[in-house]
Amino acid sequence: MNRTTSLARLQNELFDICIIGAGASGAGCALDAVLRGYKVALIDKKDFASETSSRSTKLIHGGVRYLEQAFKKLDFAQLKQVRHGLEERHIVLKNAPHLARPLALMTPVSSWIEGLYFKIGLSLYDTFATNDTLPKSKWLSKKEVLEKIPTLDRKKLHSGVLYYDGQLDDARYCLALAQSASENGAAVANYVEVNGFEKEENGKVNAVRAKDAISGNAITIRTKLVINCTGPFSDHVRLMANAALSERLRPSKGVHLSLPYHTLNSEYAMLIPKTSDGRVVFAIPFEGATMIGTTDTECDEINREPTLNHAEREYLAATLNPYLAKPIDPKEIRAGFGGLRPLLAADPSKSTKSLVRDHEVEVDEASGLISLLGGKWTTYRLMAKDTLDEADKVLGDAKDCRTADYVLAGGENYRAKSWQDIQAKYALPEDISRHLVLKYGSRAPQVALLAQEDNALKERLSPHYPYIRAEVVYTVRNEMVVAPRDFLARRIRLEITDWNETLNSLPVVADLMARELSWTDEEKTRYADAYAEEIGKFISDAR
């Protein structure tokens, strides 16, 4: 992906479809649209997946909680959501095998009655997953549970129910969607902020007015159709196109915190079925850390980045502590992050916890704007398909969706053991070789080659992690990294697992980016200082 080339195309070409928002839904729509033969533009006011789509619990699932609510409340909308999620789960796993994989989740129980309840529920969950090959749920003995998660409190533990869902690196999966769209002809650019629309005499939108957030230059994108995929910010774009529309979204804030891997000391994740507010919470191994989340609170301040605060930190720790032999030491908390769910609310009296994570495609007859509202990561592809089916109707040309079997960038000819080839050919340590293959898939040799050509690029960014300097150079050249946070938060995920090491790595990352992007010393200092200030705020908010 070349940002300069894309910006020139955005300014000078006529597009069939311009998609605003390059999160999971927008990037998914861009890939679907370009595979249908449309001429597509994809833009985002920040980086790819910079908001909700990089701040999930990293699960590909139908939703165990939704299934429970469906039967308890006879809520068939929840049941439909579970079915859709489980139907899509195997596609998400299959289409990017380097970025998504099966995940074993343990549900600890304190009595045989509780164990029977969860075994029946998770067996029902299994029956809805008809299209994949994940193992079925099992009821395990206390001994078997402790063999898999040795840090649990054996005194309170009776047994456990094991089941399987999927896990993904959400930010990089979204990037792979955007890359795939770009490689199939879409004009893709980050840091392009929309500030208005131009319309024909009949009121239909025919151009997007925007600004390059890096240079400040104005851009006018001429297009036959606009699709709004801005998640929790969708109402802002809808009202920009048609001020007469009513607001549709009820954003909800969810936060996660990151602890050392030894908190669970396991590659098994854990579902905590009992919380003080009636939700379920997950503790999941991710990138060498144990990640705990999520919360659910009403959020009205959507223009301010959601962060982990002290009360949320205490809530999550208090939720996990009863299951651990040794309680969490607050000093061990390494990082945290927050995100906004774009929940659809027909009934304003309902709490956000009771709202279904379903989606809706809205076509505004007055402006012609199509908005994809609601939804969740697991069903991104179905959401995009529904949206492009509506776009077909508007543009008058029904076309087949081809995304179900499309292998994403980096997944081509992927082999899980190809890290051994990287290790042997490029003389890189095992942990670095494994990391490169899991992040870049079949394109990992391109990163390794940079390190081979320049020994300085073989060096680690942090002695505690497998990230190397060559990745900075590669991502600037190939993945449209524009700012240090793009790299540290979304390309390698260090920001969400370890704030201190993010700060320690920042000077080297800024130096390498300055060299690649021809920054002046003043520009380098400005980028680095601004990001360090952001991390400092995150640390302060969590105290």
Side-chain angles (χ1 to χ4, degrees):
M1 296 190 296
N2 185 289
R3 190 169 184 273
T4 302
T5 301
S6 288
L7 291 175
R9 289 187 60 195
L10 292 175
Q11 184 67 34
N12 296 307
E13 297 181 14
L14 170 65
F15 294 91
D16 296 316
I17 300 173
C18 177
I19 298 165
I20 305 171
S25 59
C29 282
L31 179 59
D32 193 332
V34 78
L35 290 179
R36 295 190 193 209
Y38 291 117
K39 191 170 182 179
V40 178
L42 173 67
I43 58 174
D44 196 288
K45 69 177 180 179
K46 294 182 181 177
D47 187 31
F48 309 105
S50 59
E51 298 287 351
T52 301
S53 293
S54 63
R55 303 173 189 214
S56 74
T57 311
K58 323 303 180 209
L59 288 177
I60 312 161
H61 63 135
V64 172
R65 181 171 67 93
Y66 304 135
L67 181 65
E68 185 179 33
Q69 294 298 316
F71 283 99
K72 277 185 174 179
K73 299 180 179 180
L74 297 178
D75 186 342
F76 294 106
Q78 301 270 14
L79 204 58
K80 183 176 114 179
Q81 183 67 13
V82 173
R83 181 173 60 81
H84 283 164
L86 292 176
E87 285 173 350
E88 290 295 310
R89 183 178 67 179
H90 79 285
I91 298 176
V92 179
L93 289 167
K94 170 175 64 83
N95 287 357
H98 57 307
L99 299 172
R101 59 200 59 89
L103 178 70
L105 294 104
M106 186 75 70
T107 305
V109 297
S110 58
S111 68
W112 72 267
I113 294 176
E114 194 175 56
L116 181 62
Y117 176 79
F118 284 110
K119 180 62 180 85
I120 292 170
L122 289 167
S123 294
L124 281 170
Y125 192 67
D126 290 339
T127 63
F128 281 90
T130 57
N131 295 320
D132 61 31
T133 57
L134 295 186
K136 301 302 181 184
S137 59
K138 294 180 182 177
W139 192 355
L140 302 183
S141 68
K142 177 177 180 176
K143 179 183 177 184
E144 289 173 315
V145 174
L146 290 169
E147 285 172 352
K148 291 172 172 54
I149 309 181
T151 59
L152 296 181
D153 186 349
R154 62 177 57 244
K155 295 176 183 176
K156 297 178 183 177
L157 184 68
H158 174 272
S159 55
V161 181
L162 180 69
Y163 76 103
Y164 287 80
D165 261 323
Q167 182 177 38
L168 83 167
D169 182 335
D170 51 6
R172 287 206 65 90
Y173 204 108
C174 181
L175 176 71
L177 290 167
Q179 284 179 298
S180 300
S182 174
E183 290 168 11
N184 280 279
V188 175
N190 52 4
Y191 294 96
V192 175
E193 185 172 359
V194 174
N195 51 41
F197 296 105
E198 294 181 5
K199 298 179 180 179
E200 300 172 349
E201 290 184 4
N202 61 7
K204 303 289 186 183
V205 170
N206 65 359
V208 176
R209 290 200 303 268
K211 179 182 75 171
D212 176 359
I214 306 301
S215 69
N217 294 335
I219 302 170
T220 300
I221 306 168
R222 295 179 300 128
T223 183
K224 298 174 186 176
L225 184 66
V226 177
I227 298 178
N228 169 23
C229 294
T230 54
F233 310 98
S234 294
D235 280 338
H236 173 71
V237 176
R238 292 171 64 246
L239 295 173
M240 194 187 298
N242 181 358
L245 293 173
S246 58
E247 295 186 355
R248 297 290 313 280
L249 294 174
R250 291 269 302 284
S252 157
K253 176 187 176 185
V255 300
H256 300 77
L257 62 84
S258 292
L259 294 160
Y261 179 82
H262 65 69
T263 305
L264 290 186
N265 195 27
S266 175
E267 284 302 303
Y268 287 74
M270 194 168 99
L271 181 151
I272 301 171
K274 292 180 179 177
T275 65
S276 59
D277 65 350
R279 289 183 54 77
V280 298
V281 166
F282 295 93
I284 294 174
F286 184 75
E287 294 292 316
T290 298
M291 193 177 73
I292 310 172
T294 179
T295 58
D296 190 325
T297 54
E298 301 271 358
C299 183
D300 295 323
E301 298 180 357
I302 66 170
N303 291 318
R304 207 175 94 185
E305 179 171 349
T307 58
L308 171 74
N309 63 39
H310 177 80
E312 292 160 338
R313 186 194 79 178
E314 293 298 298
Y315 163 79
L316 289 172
T319 299
L320 182 59
N321 275 339
Y323 295 89
L324 299 177
K326 180 186 175 184
I328 296 166
D329 181 350
K331 294 177 184 175
E332 289 191 317
I333 294 173
R334 290 183 175 175
F337 61 96
L340 296 175
R341 300 179 188 86
L343 300 176
L344 272 170
D347 183 355
S349 67
K350 283 188 176 182
S351 71
T352 53
K353 287 190 288 290
S354 67
L355 297 179
V356 183
R357 297 292 301 278
D358 211 346
H359 67 275
E360 178 184 321
V361 181
E362 175 193 77
V363 181
D364 175 33
E365 295 298 333
S367 67
L369 179 73
I370 295 180
S371 294
L372 173 50
L373 307 173
K376 65 174 189 173
W377 237 118
T378 305
T379 55
Y380 87 87
R381 193 201 67 85
L382 177 64
M383 293 157 57
K385 178 183 180 300
D386 290 348
T387 305
L388 267 295
D389 287 347
E390 289 299 319
D392 281 351
K393 295 175 186 176
V394 173
L395 294 171
D397 189 6
K399 302 184 179 186
D400 292 333
C401 175
R402 295 170 49 203
T403 53
D405 298 309
Y406 188 87
V407 177
L408 301 181
E412 318 94 334
N413 304 311
Y414 170 75
R415 292 184 303 108
K417 291 188 177 180
S418 61
W419 66 268
Q420 296 170 342
D421 302 331
I422 299 283
Q423 183 183 30
K425 184 174 181 179
Y426 299 99
L428 291 170
E430 179 178 333
D431 65 330
I432 292 174
S433 301
R434 286 181 179 273
H435 155 69
L436 292 179
V437 168
L438 289 175
K439 282 287 171 282
Y440 306 94
S442 57
R443 303 179 183 197
Q446 297 176 33
V447 187
L449 182 61
L450 289 172
Q452 185 183 61
E453 292 172 345
D454 182 349
N455 272 328
L457 297 181
K458 280 187 177 179
E459 292 186 32
R460 295 173 189 260
L461 293 171
S462 161
H464 307 293
Y465 293 95
Y467 315 129
I468 60 174
R469 296 182 177 195
E471 294 177 77
V472 183
V473 176
Y474 177 82
T475 57
V476 170
R477 293 178 184 177
N478 298 282
E479 296 182 356
M480 216 176 279
V481 163
V482 170
R485 192 177 189 189
D486 300 341
F487 177 77
L488 287 161
R490 289 175 287 275
R491 302 304 186 273
I492 66 169
R493 316 318 309 274
L494 186 57
E495 181 195 298
I496 66 171
T497 58
D498 196 324
W499 284 330
N500 286 334
E501 286 307 304
T502 298
L503 288 172
N504 290 340
S505 303
L506 178 56
V508 173
V509 171
D511 281 342
L512 289 166
M513 290 188 65
R515 187 180 74 185
E516 287 295 312
L517 295 169
S518 301
W519 288 344
T520 63
D521 287 344
E522 182 185 356
E523 287 174 318
K524 181 179 76 171
T525 301
R526 187 173 73 246
Y527 274 115
D529 287 353
Y531 188 32
E533 186 177 330
E534 283 184 293
I535 297 292
K537 182 180 183 302
F538 300 154
I539 295 171
S540 175
D541 287 351
R543 281 180 179 152

